[in-house]
Amino acid sequence: MKTVNDVETLERLYGVPGKSSVLKEVDHLHPAYRPFIEQSPFMVLATSGPGGLDASPRGDPAGFVVIEDARTLLLPDRRGNNRMDSLRNIVADPRVALLFFVPGVNETLRVNGRASIVIEPSMLERFTFEGKAPRSVLRITVETVYFQCSRALVRSRLWDPSRHVTRSEFPSPGSILEALSPDEFDGGEYDRELPGRVKATLY
């Protein structure tokens, strides 16, 4: 199978980037890009470490990622499953990539930078929500920022309700766990208890 193994071949194959593709990249949080972060209730955090790559979804009410200044973002690490995949990676390699989504908007925002894990009590208190403080806050130093054009979301029709999958037609968390570990999980019981468990442990 023929493959591409060098940048020169890639450049011959794809050609020169358009002018707008180059102009849209900046090294700070330009005012034109702030709404993508301020109105985003969902983003993906990508990290890299000795154990490999990780892409983790993060969500909260819009504006949960705080713009501290033109080169700094603050991201509270809310309660999860304690795998700490992203945090383990950041300890070893601070490079991170963020992808911000705004419901109904087909453009997304891409941010690359370096993160540190902050556990200063005053910082944790600042991000208390519904009486619960995060265990840590990621302080991200921004290096590059640019918007991603709409083609991917237009092609996927991500925001089109007519394309949404009916949840009952999709494998449930319990059924997946039972299929993977049939001797350890009762899928039906897991699914019945899950809504209450999520509500009780959201923050």
Side-chain angles (χ1 to χ4, degrees):
M1 183 178 295
K2 191 172 183 180
T3 61
V4 175
N5 300 300
D6 58 81
V7 174
E8 290 75 17
T9 302
L10 272 179
E11 291 176 343
R12 286 197 301 271
L13 182 64
Y14 282 89
V16 178
K19 183 178 180 180
S20 62
S21 297
V22 176
L23 289 177
K24 67 183 179 181
E25 181 178 327
V26 294
D27 63 358
H28 62 286
L29 298 166
H30 189 280
Y33 285 151
R34 292 176 66 107
F36 285 92
I37 299 171
E38 295 167 338
Q39 298 185 47
S40 173
F42 178 81
M43 50 86 73
V44 178
L45 168 67
T47 59
S48 175
L53 305 175
D54 183 69
S56 175
R58 302 297 172 99
D60 236 335
F64 73 102
V65 178
V66 171
I67 301 173
E68 184 77 340
D69 56 49
R71 295 182 184 273
T72 310
L73 292 173
L74 301 175
L75 168 59
D77 190 60
R78 298 297 183 193
R79 188 167 180 173
N81 54 24
N82 292 334
R83 283 180 55 104
M84 299 178 290
D85 299 296
S86 301
L87 301 181
R88 292 178 192 275
N89 281 350
I90 289 169
V91 168
D93 183 344
R95 293 176 300 169
V96 296
L98 315 177
L99 180 62
F100 290 90
F101 293 79
V102 178
V105 176
N106 285 327
E107 289 76 22
T108 55
L109 188 72
R110 299 170 65 170
V111 178
N112 298 314
R114 294 175 182 269
S116 58
I117 303 170
V118 179
I119 56 172
E120 179 67 32
S122 60
M123 180 70 80
L124 304 183
E125 179 66 23
R126 177 178 172 183
F127 286 93
T128 295
F129 189 78
E130 295 192 356
K132 299 290 180 66
R135 292 182 179 175
S136 65
V137 174
L138 294 183
R139 185 179 187 277
I140 299 159
T141 301
V142 172
E143 295 179 344
T144 60
V145 187
Y146 54 99
F147 77 90
Q148 181 73 32
C149 76
S150 63
R151 291 187 185 88
L153 270 70
V154 170
R155 287 191 292 252
S156 68
R157 295 171 62 183
L158 182 64
W159 307 126
D160 183 352
S162 69
R163 301 280 293 226
H164 291 179
V165 176
T166 302
R167 188 63 186 87
S168 60
E169 298 176 356
F170 206 74
S172 69
S175 67
I176 294 171
L177 288 167
E178 185 171 325
L180 295 172
S181 304
D183 297 329
E184 298 182 37
F185 276 92
D186 180 330
E189 180 181 1
Y190 185 91
D191 285 335
R192 285 190 295 273
E193 294 177 350
L194 185 59
R197 186 163 57 250
V198 169
K199 184 177 181 180
T201 61
L202 203 55
Y203 289 99

